[in-house]
Amino acid sequence: MSDPDVPKDEKPNDVNDVVDSANAGLAEAEAAGADVPDATADTAPDARVDPDLAAFEEAERDYPGTFSAAQAAEAAAASRADAETSVVDDATASETRVFPAAHVHEESAMADAAYTAPVNDAETRVVPSEPVPTPVLQQPIFVQAPEPPRELGNRGTAAGIGLLATLSFAILYLGASLGLGALAGDITGENVGESALAPLTTWGFWVPVAVFFLGFWLLGAIINRGRWGLWVVLGILVGLIAYAGHILGQLFEAPFWTLTAAQGSELVGEQLLAPLAIAAFVFARELTIWFGAWVARSGARKTELNAEAQREYERTLEAGPTLSR
């Protein structure tokens, strides 16, 4: 290939003139080299040098600075387009092209500039494609310790049964009063109704009845869930309380605040062995025994319930805490 005839005394001012001159040189080179065998076909059949690029490289070496990088790339592309329409190498399967150095330098410079550019945190922030779920804080689970069972008492039951026992005592006490009056001849068939209603309005009747109820309930509060044997043994105390209640009722009936000390002592002495006082003692004693059996039965049942509740409580403690969902 011969060098293109480019005047060296002055620098071309137009790129188009340079391109035309290069094309003319290429045409002359192709005409001159038509008869010359291709040396590269034997040495490197798979490698081929683009004549257009070689011409522009030689022009650039002879006249440095004539072509800018963009102009050289544009001119080279135009020249290659013209050359490809006329020159086709059927023997070469793949074509190897040599790119101009200016174009390579431009790409390298662009790559360097891309890698050395300052990094902007706002522009390079990575945004997740899906929203990140907010972590759910696990709430603490409080386990409440089981409370020990409360023992069932029997005092309320004793008070309720004591009311029934008191009603029975009042009926028996009134009947004994009417019977003693009938034996004395004071109560007959004509005045039995009036005689039965008359004690209901006196202190002598209601004071022993009230005292019996207090005695029965106090004994029930002391025994609580105790056995019936305690009612049998301690029932005598309720009898004595009812006996004292009869004497106190007679003092209220007098009334005692109008009596002198001698008169009060004489009245108490008369009632110590009075039949009605003894009847009050016997009635209270027996009623306490039999109604006390009812209270004791209720106390035994509550004792069983308390024991079962305690066993259940102990089983719960042995099982340990459990979480309810």
Side-chain angles (χ1 to χ4, degrees):
M1 179 185 296
S2 62
D3 296 335
D5 188 8
V6 181
K8 299 182 181 180
D9 52 351
E10 66 180 8
K11 188 176 183 179
N13 296 325
D14 191 1
V15 176
N16 293 329
D17 295 339
V18 177
V19 173
D20 293 339
S21 176
N23 290 334
L26 288 174
E28 293 177 0
E30 290 177 359
D35 298 333
V36 179
D38 190 359
T40 61
D42 298 334
T43 58
D46 295 335
R48 178 183 173 188
V49 178
D50 191 349
D52 296 337
L53 296 178
F56 278 108
E57 291 177 358
E58 185 176 357
E60 180 65 21
R61 286 195 301 270
D62 294 339
Y63 301 95
T66 302
F67 304 100
S68 63
Q71 292 173 349
E74 183 179 357
S79 298
R80 284 195 300 271
D82 294 339
E84 286 175 358
T85 57
S86 58
V87 180
V88 178
D89 189 1
D90 296 333
T92 305
S94 62
E95 183 177 349
T96 304
R97 297 179 181 177
V98 179
F99 295 93
H103 182 66
V104 176
H105 293 166
E106 180 184 1
E107 292 180 352
S108 177
M110 292 175 63
D112 294 340
Y115 283 105
T116 58
V119 179
N120 190 352
D121 294 338
E123 295 179 357
T124 60
R125 185 175 300 168
V126 178
V127 180
S129 59
E130 297 181 357
V132 179
T134 304
V136 179
L137 298 179
Q138 186 177 4
Q139 298 294 333
I141 300 175
F142 299 95
V143 180
Q144 184 178 3
E147 296 182 359
R150 296 180 58 182
E151 292 187 353
L152 298 176
N154 201 38
R155 295 179 177 87
T157 303
I161 296 176
L163 289 175
L164 298 177
T166 302
L167 179 61
S168 300
F169 177 82
I171 294 173
L172 292 176
Y173 188 74
L174 178 61
S177 177
L178 294 176
L180 291 175
L183 291 177
D186 297 334
I187 299 175
T188 61
E190 298 177 355
N191 61 356
V192 63
E194 296 178 359
S195 300
L197 296 176
L200 300 179
T201 59
T202 61
W203 287 99
F205 176 78
W206 290 111
V207 170
V209 171
V211 169
F212 170 79
F213 173 75
L214 292 177
F216 188 94
W217 180 78
L218 287 174
L219 183 61
I222 295 172
I223 297 176
N224 197 5
R225 298 184 302 272
R227 297 179 177 275
W228 181 47
L230 296 176
W231 289 91
V232 174
V233 174
L234 299 178
I236 192 173
L237 296 178
V238 181
L240 292 175
I241 291 174
Y243 174 81
H246 169 77
I247 297 174
L248 183 62
Q250 296 301 317
L251 289 174
F252 272 95
E253 186 70 23
F256 66 89
W257 55 85
T258 61
L259 300 177
T260 62
Q263 293 175 343
S265 298
E266 183 181 357
L267 179 60
V268 170
E270 292 176 357
Q271 296 297 326
L272 288 178
L273 298 176
L276 197 56
I278 297 174
F281 171 80
V282 174
F283 293 155
R285 171 78 171 81
E286 294 298 324
L287 290 174
T288 300
I289 292 174
W290 299 111
F291 279 91
W294 188 1
V295 178
R297 189 181 302 112
S298 175
R301 174 59 180 166
K302 291 181 179 179
T303 300
E304 294 177 1
L305 294 177
N306 291 335
E308 179 62 26
Q310 183 65 27
R311 288 191 294 269
E312 181 65 23
Y313 172 70
E314 292 176 356
R315 285 194 296 267
T316 303
L317 292 180
E318 293 176 359
T322 58
L323 298 178
S324 60
R325 296 291 183 182

